């Protein structure tokens, strides 16, 4: 392992959970009858709410034609939106990076997100917040797009079934490399996700739960929709953003939890060997939350079961999602 911006640190004391400890996902992953899993769903488009069947965008929207736009995935639990402020900060950062003017203030965006949840009568679920360049012509030049479009979708779905949080994921390394920051910076949560989609297809063909993506240097970057962490001798390690990893919101929460629990964290370049030799491995993402990995490229990670540190971090994360966040309803 090659360190990037932090020196190797002493091993922390590990307090293992009981053998019967089980971590439940915060939101169920059972199939639902509609695309968003909500009966009579209401979708926000540019200041108005539409029924799911009537929610449409123009075929000339640059988000459709060229993937020209940005997005955030946001979770809400128990009547509170988790880390809403951080998600909006990252949305605005992405917008500045691609010269996209978001057509509303952060305060107005906050209210729009909360009202979308209220319109759908939810207390827990997932929000997809999208800002496209807007309607233009078939030309590539974004100057033809005069008004960006804001879309907010509330969903009652989860990325993984609850059993996977207990048993762990199987991951394979794929041939598709993570986009270089010099081509399309992973710090921008762009609507252009073809790089990730191609890696996802490879994982599906290999009958794996997720795909591990490397960068052009051959080091681990991230998975198709998640950051990756490994644990070795009590130390928690994740690739730096310079390796092509997204500066994930849940990733930053893990740093907070690790510090609170007394574990040391390190941002460092890691190789597939480091993953194979790890004692534990887990993924983080807004949709995935925190989920263990037990097998990578046919190699069992540790003893092939979710590890004690991962289990503790998952449990603390679940507590945080229940207790903190921006209230959706006034009484909360």
């Amino acid at each position: 392992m090659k360190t990037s911006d932090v020196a190797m640190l002493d091993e922390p004391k590990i307090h293992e959970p009981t053998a019967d400890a089980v971590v439940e996902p915060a939101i169920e992953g059972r199939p639902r009858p509609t695309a968003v899993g909500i009966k009579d769903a209401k979708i926000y488009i540019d200041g108005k709410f539409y029924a799911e069947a009537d929610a449409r965008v123009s075929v000339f929207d640059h988000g459709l034609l060229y993937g020209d736009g940005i997005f955030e995935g946001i979770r809400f639990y128990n009547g509170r939106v988790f880390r809403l402020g951080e998600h909006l900060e990252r949305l605005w950062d992405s917008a500045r990076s691609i010269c996209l003017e978001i057509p509303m203030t952060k305060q107005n965006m906050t209210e729009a997100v909360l009202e979308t949840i209220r319109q759908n009568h939810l207390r827990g679920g997932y929000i997809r917040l999208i800002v496209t360049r807007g309607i233009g012509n078939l030309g590539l030049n974004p100057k033809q797009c005069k008004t960006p479009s804001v879309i907010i979708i509330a969903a009652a779905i989860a990325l993984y079934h609850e059993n996977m949080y207990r048993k762990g994921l199987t991951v394979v390394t794929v041939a598709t490399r993570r986009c270089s920051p010099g081509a399309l910076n992973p710090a921008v949560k762009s609507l252009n996700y073809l790089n990730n989609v191609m890696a996802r297809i490879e994982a599906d063909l290999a009958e794996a739960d997720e795909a591990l993506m490397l960068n052009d240097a051959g080091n681990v970057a991230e998975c198709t929709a998640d950051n990756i962490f490994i644990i070795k001798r009590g130390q928690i390690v994740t690739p730096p953003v310079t390796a092509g990893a997204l500066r994930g919101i849940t990733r930053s929460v893990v740093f907070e939890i690790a510090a609170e629990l007394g574990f040391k964290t390190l941002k460092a370049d890691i190789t597939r060997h480091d993953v194979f030799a790890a004692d534990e491995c887990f993924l983080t993402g807004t949709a995935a939350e925190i989920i263990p990995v037990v097998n990578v490229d046919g190699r069992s990670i540790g003893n092939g079961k979710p590890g004690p540190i991962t289990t503790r971090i998952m449990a603390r994360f679940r507590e945080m999602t229940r207790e903190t966040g921006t209230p959706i309803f006034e009484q909360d």
Side-chain angles (χ1 to χ4, degrees):
M1 253 181 321
K2 176 186 173 185
T3 60
S4 61
D5 51 352
V6 183
M8 293 295 288
L9 300 168
D10 294 335
E11 298 175 15
K13 294 175 66 178
I14 303 173
H15 305 284
E16 295 195 7
T18 64
D20 297 329
V22 174
V23 177
E24 300 281 355
I27 303 277
E28 288 188 351
R30 295 190 181 95
R32 305 287 180 166
T34 72
V36 295
I38 304 168
K39 185 179 179 181
D40 301 324
K42 298 293 187 293
I43 295 171
Y44 177 102
I45 304 177
D46 297 330
K48 297 181 180 180
F49 287 94
Y50 298 85
E52 182 177 345
D54 299 323
R56 299 181 177 93
V57 296
S58 170
V59 295
F60 292 100
D61 191 297
H62 264 220
L64 171 65
L65 291 174
Y66 298 111
D68 186 5
I70 55 177
F71 78 96
E72 283 291 323
I74 306 168
R75 289 293 283 264
F76 56 102
Y77 307 84
N78 194 32
R80 294 173 179 270
V81 184
F82 190 63
R83 301 294 169 117
L84 179 56
E86 287 94 327
H87 279 288
L88 295 187
E89 285 290 337
R90 189 170 65 181
L91 184 76
W92 255 259
D93 287 346
S94 293
R96 281 191 290 268
S97 185
I98 68 168
C99 300
L100 174 60
E101 187 71 29
I102 297 177
M104 56 200 305
T105 66
K106 288 179 187 174
Q107 181 177 352
N108 289 340
M109 185 71 82
T110 296
E111 181 54 34
V113 169
L114 298 178
E115 185 57 27
T116 300
I117 299 171
R118 295 180 197 124
Q119 288 280 332
N120 287 282
H121 310 290
L122 296 172
R123 292 185 62 83
Y126 177 83
I127 283 284
R128 174 58 58 90
L129 171 55
I130 304 163
V131 184
T132 78
R133 188 79 64 177
I135 298 171
N137 56 26
L138 291 178
L140 187 65
N141 194 336
K143 288 184 178 180
Q144 303 298 325
C145 305
K146 303 304 181 185
T147 307
S149 185
V150 176
I151 302 166
I152 307 175
I153 305 168
I157 58 175
L159 186 60
Y160 296 114
H161 190 277
E162 54 264 35
N163 285 340
M164 293 184 174
Y165 291 85
R166 301 187 186 99
K167 297 180 179 180
L169 301 181
T170 295
V171 174
V172 293
T173 306
V174 296
T176 301
R177 295 293 175 106
R178 190 70 180 97
C179 282
S180 164
L184 178 61
N185 198 314
V188 177
K189 282 191 69 71
S190 162
L191 295 183
N192 188 335
Y193 246 51
L194 187 57
N195 180 233
N196 308 67
V197 170
M198 295 306 297
R200 177 71 256 181
I201 289 172
E202 290 189 65
D204 289 344
L205 291 173
E207 298 184 344
D209 300 314
E210 245 291 15
L212 183 64
M213 302 178 72
L214 308 180
N215 58 26
D216 286 340
N219 293 321
V220 172
E222 60 181 10
C223 292
T224 63
D226 311 307
N227 291 114
I228 183 170
F229 287 77
I230 61 171
I231 302 173
K232 186 69 173 179
R233 291 189 288 273
Q235 187 171 57
I236 302 169
V237 188
T238 193
V241 294
T242 53
L246 177 70
R247 190 175 280 106
I249 304 299
T250 309
R251 175 179 181 264
S252 67
V253 174
V254 167
F255 296 148
E256 296 175 22
I257 293 173
E260 177 185 323
L261 297 179
F263 299 119
K264 303 299 183 182
T265 57
L266 177 68
K267 301 168 189 172
D269 287 327
I270 60 176
T271 65
R272 292 172 69 216
H273 167 77
D274 296 318
V275 178
F276 300 154
D279 300 323
E280 302 179 41
C281 179
F282 62 90
L283 308 182
T284 67
T286 296
E289 302 174 304
I290 299 173
I291 189 164
V293 173
V294 296
N295 188 287
V296 178
D297 294 336
R299 284 87 159 173
S300 291
I301 303 300
N303 64 2
K305 297 179 181 179
I309 297 178
T310 300
T311 301
R312 289 191 65 193
I313 292 172
M314 291 169 66
R316 178 58 185 138
F317 177 81
R318 193 173 71 246
E319 291 176 358
M320 293 174 70
T321 60
R322 284 199 304 260
E323 298 167 357
T324 64
T326 303
I328 299 167
F329 307 96
E330 289 185 7
Q331 59 268 30
D332 294 322

